[in-house]
Amino acid sequence: MAQVEATTERIISADAETVFDALADYKDVRGKVLTAHFSEYEVREGGDGEGTLVHWRLQATSKRVRDCLLEVTEPTDGQLVEKDRNSSMVTTWTVTPAGEGKSKAVVTTVWDGAGGIGGFFERTFAPKGLGRIYDELLQNLATEVEK
């Protein structure tokens, strides 16, 4: 099995602390900025960064739905890591300053892909599809924090 990776980034017109705090706010903000690809959103424990346990279903395509139960950690300042208990998927959100009143938000998701021809198609197309989903999510986040 080869590892599959999808990365998306965006410059947001808000300071890094504001953007990070919004991303880490699973109680109020995160549910608002998710795209239509996410459903059954539920905070099961915590709700603010480290120690949060959150559930959602991610529908990447009409046939691909992933049931996610994510444990959230904050290994370093400006970084959130969501590890899926149901799969090998790990999503890392990193927010850094990007000049006066701006920040750069980067989201990277990695998982163990399938083997064979199915794995080839997964490695080829899944990163692009997930990239589009996260690009929309980051746009929603920017809209939320730039108010």
Side-chain angles (χ1 to χ4, degrees):
M1 281 190 279
Q3 196 166 59
V4 183
E5 179 175 320
T7 300
T8 304
E9 63 182 61
R10 178 178 289 272
I11 299 296
I12 297 175
S13 295
D15 65 80
E17 186 177 345
T18 299
V19 174
F20 182 82
D21 288 348
L23 268 176
D25 183 353
Y26 291 85
K27 282 183 188 168
D28 298 318
V29 177
R30 187 61 80 92
K32 283 196 267 186
V33 300
L34 292 177
T35 70
H37 296 90
F38 297 85
S39 64
E40 298 181 26
Y41 181 83
E42 175 188 19
V43 176
R44 295 193 177 166
E45 294 175 18
D48 184 23
E50 179 90 30
T52 296
L53 183 65
V54 64
H55 171 267
W56 59 62
R57 289 174 57 85
L58 172 59
Q59 184 160 359
T61 68
S62 61
K63 295 179 182 174
R64 286 269 193 212
V65 180
R66 186 179 288 235
D67 189 69
C68 302
L69 183 59
L70 303 150
E71 295 177 351
V72 179
T73 60
E74 293 184 34
T76 62
D77 283 350
Q79 192 174 63
L80 281 174
V81 177
E82 301 169 344
K83 291 183 181 173
D84 187 9
R85 286 186 180 175
N86 298 332
S87 73
S88 62
M89 188 172 74
V90 177
T91 300
T92 303
W93 301 85
T94 306
V95 181
T96 55
E100 180 98 19
K102 294 184 183 218
S103 58
K104 179 165 94 171
V106 180
V107 55
T108 301
T109 299
V110 295
W111 68 95
D112 297 332
I117 192 73
F120 168 77
F121 284 105
E122 181 180 24
R123 289 186 302 279
T124 303
F125 297 109
K128 292 175 186 156
L130 194 55
R132 283 191 296 274
I133 292 168
Y134 281 129
D135 187 57
E136 186 181 343
L137 191 156
L138 287 173
Q139 175 58 55
N140 294 347
L141 176 66
T143 300
E144 179 70 22
V145 298
E146 292 173 359
K147 288 180 184 175

